[in-house]
Amino acid sequence: MNATSSRLAVPRLDTDILLVGLGPVGAALANLLGLYGVRVLAIDKATAIFEKPRAIALDNEALRILQLAGVRDGEFETVAIPQVQYRSPLFGPFARINSAGIIDGHPALVTFYQPELERVLREKLAQYPGIELRLGSELAAFVDDGRFIQARLEDAVGNETHVRARYLIGTDGANSLVRRTLGLDFEGRSFHQDWLIVDALDVPDPIDHVEFTCDPRRPTPRMVAPGGRQRWEFMLRPGERPEEMERPESVRRLLAPWCDSERIRIERTAVYRFHAREARRFSKGRCFLAGDAAHITPPFAGQGLVAGLRDAANLAWKLAWVVQGRANERVLDSYDTERRPHARKIIRLALTLGALVMPQNRAVAFAVHGLMSLLRLLPAGRALFEDLRIKPQNTFDEGLFWRVRGSDRLRAGAMLPQGWVRPATGGAPILSDDALGLQWALIGFGVDASAGMPAELLQRWQAAGGRVWQWCQRSQAQHLAPPAQRLEALDEALLPRRAPLGWVAIVRPDRCVLAEGPASDAEAMLRRALELVAPPASSPSATSPTPARELQGARHAA
Ligand SMILES: O=C(O)CCc1cccc(O)c1
């Protein structure tokens, strides 16, 4: 074969999205895109799931995003965490976060086993005809020519594939090749300490929560995890070499003050350094960064993977609507605008908690932990921590939404609370996100938001991927929309306080509230939403979408 014919023989692939990196964020994104009916080529240079200890915590927001991505309750094991405790060798317990309870239909905090979640997410991808996986394939090079991404992939034995994609997503981790190729700085700092992570089984006297022993000589977080596991994280001291410390005898020595370490089984270990960094931008041209490729945080807030899943939910529907010609490309700009400031707040929170967990020396520990102990005596100081008020709300300051002064019940730019509802068509109670399905929603609370609206406007709404819902009080009798549009509230997540009778909201597919106001404003709101999102009528990119599942509400209704 001569050089020309061998070049001709390189296979070529056309896709909507080239997704580079199939860790948990990449796999969640691929599932969301699959649900929306988008064609994705997902590659990962590894052939198998990474089995070393990594992320361990998810919060209610992350669980809700996994719900959106089609992961059902119980498909992977979680352990609800009732509290996070901070202890000082000098002062004893000096702070506590109350993480018990349910928020938006999910436990406020759980631990999980990352390889299990990744397996579940990967298995689900098989159901989407538009998703193709290439494991053992690396991104060798790519260019953004302004209309397409042209990429060259290489497998382990040097076979090449050329790919033309409309967009590229880098979920390729902290060392992201996509980010580096785009020339986007990864700004922030790296810690110089090594941490040894140990997952152990058969631990006598396991704990049922998360506990930080904030000893400046050796800070040690410890927590319960699924499958009967307990995890410890030991900060290594200067001179302690990672390969030595990972040996079973060293691990048992470290564990000796905590349990009968001769009796336990050491399942797995890893040594990491922590980083607090964010990419200068989360997107450039037709390329997007998500997860650790875009931002990386120390684990002290348990928010690393959660932040990546927030990226996935924010980005997936925007790309889907654009590639299917139902939204203007400028919608994609809001990904960076919305996600980057919040990711930064999460990193700051983790750094603040890190200052409690790993004070630099005994004097700093005395001052910081002593101050925290005093703060705890004041109800306001205690509440700040205990009630999770230190956690930044997932509410955007700028982005794809608008706020009207004086009409701030649901807060546009924040997530719509989730509650339990019963579709008026019958069936068992379901979580409201499952009822609303994958589309945009115009929701009238106790009112038919579409009453009196011109048919032409409602048709445009439907064509843009929108539906109309009425969220009713149980047994409400007035102004009822047809049953197929009606949800009966089974709790007070929204009605009557958050969303009073007569209120309307326009909600994006990622459940962010685009706009809200009284029903009298509904028509004006809908027109403005369509202007903001929809492509010009003559859009050349408009294609009819081919959703994997019919994009209808009530997708889990019995
Ligand atoms: O250290 C880790 O890996 C996560 C610790 C954690 C888990 C849950 C909540 C939290 O604030 C920290």
Side-chain angles (χ1 to χ4, degrees):
M1 203 187 281
N2 64 31
T4 313
S5 60
S6 81
R7 252 201 319 276
L8 285 177
V10 175
R12 304 182 74 81
L13 268 169
D14 249 302
T15 188
D16 291 326
I17 311 281
L18 174 59
L19 178 78
V20 181
L22 205 65
V25 174
L29 245 163
N31 272 278
L32 285 163
L33 291 165
L35 274 165
Y36 294 131
V38 177
R39 292 179 310 149
V40 179
L41 174 64
I43 66 166
D44 198 296
K45 62 179 178 216
T47 48
I49 286 170
F50 189 73
E51 297 285 341
K52 289 272 186 186
R54 279 216 172 155
I56 191 164
L58 295 171
D59 67 3
N60 52 285
E61 291 179 53
L63 294 168
R64 187 176 179 185
I65 291 165
L66 292 170
Q67 175 196 348
L68 198 66
V71 178
R72 315 302 335 149
D73 216 18
E75 278 193 285
F76 72 108
E77 194 185 343
T78 55
V79 177
I81 300 296
Q83 60 170 328
V84 182
Q85 274 188 12
Y86 297 82
R87 295 173 165 275
S88 133
L90 206 58
F91 300 100
F94 67 86
R96 176 181 176 271
I97 293 174
N98 175 10
S99 52
I102 301 287
I103 304 175
D104 290 331
H106 294 284
L109 181 65
V110 300
T111 54
F112 75 110
Y113 185 63
Q114 184 171 328
E116 187 192 11
L117 173 61
E118 289 194 42
R119 264 188 280 282
V120 168
L121 287 169
R122 284 193 186 188
E123 275 164 25
K124 284 186 177 294
L125 292 175
Q127 69 192 296
Y128 304 116
I131 307 277
E132 187 182 341
L133 294 192
R134 292 271 178 112
L135 300 178
S137 251
E138 247 187 291
L139 179 67
F142 71 91
V143 285
D144 175 352
D145 70 11
R147 290 182 62 227
F148 293 101
I149 298 293
Q150 310 282 356
R152 184 162 56 81
L153 311 184
E154 234 173 70
D155 70 12
V157 290
N159 293 322
E160 290 191 355
T161 304
H162 289 174
V163 179
R164 192 180 80 156
R166 295 192 49 195
Y167 298 98
L168 169 69
I169 310 176
T171 41
D172 50 345
N175 196 28
S176 169
L177 176 71
V178 174
R179 186 190 66 238
R180 286 184 284 120
T181 308
L182 292 172
L184 291 170
D185 293 340
F186 206 29
E187 293 160 353
R189 58 179 279 227
S190 294
F191 287 65
H192 58 266
Q193 299 89 345
D194 286 316
W195 287 75
L196 171 67
I197 318 297
V198 179
D199 278 354
L201 292 158
D202 302 336
V203 176
D205 301 322
I207 62 167
D208 69 351
H209 57 280
V210 175
E211 197 170 285
F212 289 91
T213 299
C214 310
D215 184 341
R217 290 161 303 177
R218 174 140 16 237
T220 309
R222 177 187 177 184
M223 60 214 76
V224 61
R229 294 179 180 85
Q230 296 270 298
R231 175 174 290 185
W232 277 268
E233 300 173 356
F234 298 101
M235 194 179 92
L236 300 187
R237 294 176 179 155
E240 288 179 335
R241 298 212 334 266
E243 55 289 1
E244 297 252 312
M245 298 307 284
E246 272 193 279
R247 289 205 186 128
E249 56 277 20
S250 309
V251 173
R252 287 190 199 283
R253 205 175 55 243
L254 282 170
L255 285 173
W258 302 91
C259 61
D260 182 351
S261 61
E262 293 307 317
R263 277 177 54 199
I264 63 158
R265 260 193 300 143
I266 301 166
E267 185 193 31
R268 46 184 204 161
T269 61
V271 174
Y272 293 117
R273 282 196 179 189
F274 299 155
H275 309 272
R277 293 182 180 274
E278 65 180 58
R280 193 159 39 81
R281 286 188 57 80
F282 288 5
S283 63
K284 186 173 178 183
R286 303 189 150 262
C287 304
F288 299 84
L289 300 172
D292 286 359
H295 44 78
I296 182 158
T297 169
F300 304 117
Q303 284 280 310
L305 177 53
V306 177
L309 291 171
R310 289 192 193 102
D311 298 339
N314 191 292
L315 181 58
W317 76 267
K318 292 175 183 171
L319 282 170
W321 255 252
V322 170
V323 299
Q324 292 167 346
R326 296 191 292 180
N328 195 298
E329 224 176 25
R330 67 173 177 256
V331 160
L332 298 174
D333 295 341
S334 65
Y335 171 63
D336 175 74
T337 314
E338 292 178 348
R339 283 297 308 134
R340 196 154 45 87
H342 189 265
R344 177 177 298 176
K345 285 184 197 165
I346 292 294
I347 293 172
R348 284 211 197 111
L349 169 69
L351 289 172
T352 305
L353 294 176
L356 296 183
V357 174
M358 45 182 296
Q360 283 159 11
N361 54 48
R362 284 179 204 216
V364 175
F366 182 80
V368 172
H369 299 160
L371 196 69
M372 286 297 295
S373 304
L374 287 177
L375 202 65
R376 212 179 167 200
L377 299 176
L378 306 170
R382 203 167 48 239
L384 186 71
F385 233 74
E386 290 229 0
D387 303 347
L388 269 170
R389 288 200 207 140
I390 49 164
K391 183 174 163 189
Q393 295 284 315
N394 191 13
T395 303
F396 310 130
D397 295 327
E398 271 182 73
L400 191 73
F401 61 89
W402 74 87
R403 290 193 185 122
V404 176
R405 203 188 291 269
S407 126
D408 207 16
R409 313 274 173 135
L410 289 169
R411 197 159 174 79
M415 299 300 137
L416 184 79
Q418 172 164 239
W420 285 93
V421 293
R422 191 195 305 276
T425 43
I430 55 174
L431 282 167
S432 53
D433 284 359
D434 291 339
L436 296 176
L438 302 166
Q439 293 181 298
W440 283 81
L442 168 66
I443 306 174
F445 294 95
V447 281
D448 178 1
S450 64
M453 279 194 196
E456 148 276 323
L457 180 61
L458 292 170
Q459 272 157 16
R460 277 174 57 210
W461 179 237
Q462 202 174 11
R467 288 205 68 184
V468 180
W469 293 97
Q470 186 174 348
W471 191 301
C472 311
Q473 300 260 43
R474 280 182 89 178
S475 311
Q476 186 184 338
Q478 289 171 354
H479 314 299
L480 288 184
Q485 293 178 11
R486 234 163 55 222
L487 304 172
E488 274 190 6
L490 300 180
D491 59 22
E492 296 198 355
L494 283 157
L495 272 172
R497 272 173 286 276
R498 296 295 300 275
L501 289 169
W503 212 247
V504 299
I506 298 179
V507 181
R508 307 181 337 192
D510 61 353
R511 308 304 178 221
C512 174
V513 177
L514 180 90
E516 45 120 28
S520 53
D521 291 351
E523 184 176 333
M525 280 164 58
L526 199 58
R527 289 192 188 280
R528 186 166 169 188
L530 284 167
E531 258 169 45
L532 198 65
V533 175
S538 58
S539 166
S541 64
T543 53
S544 53
T546 49
R549 276 192 223 159
E550 191 57 19
L551 289 178
Q552 297 289 335
R555 65 185 156 108
H556 300 293

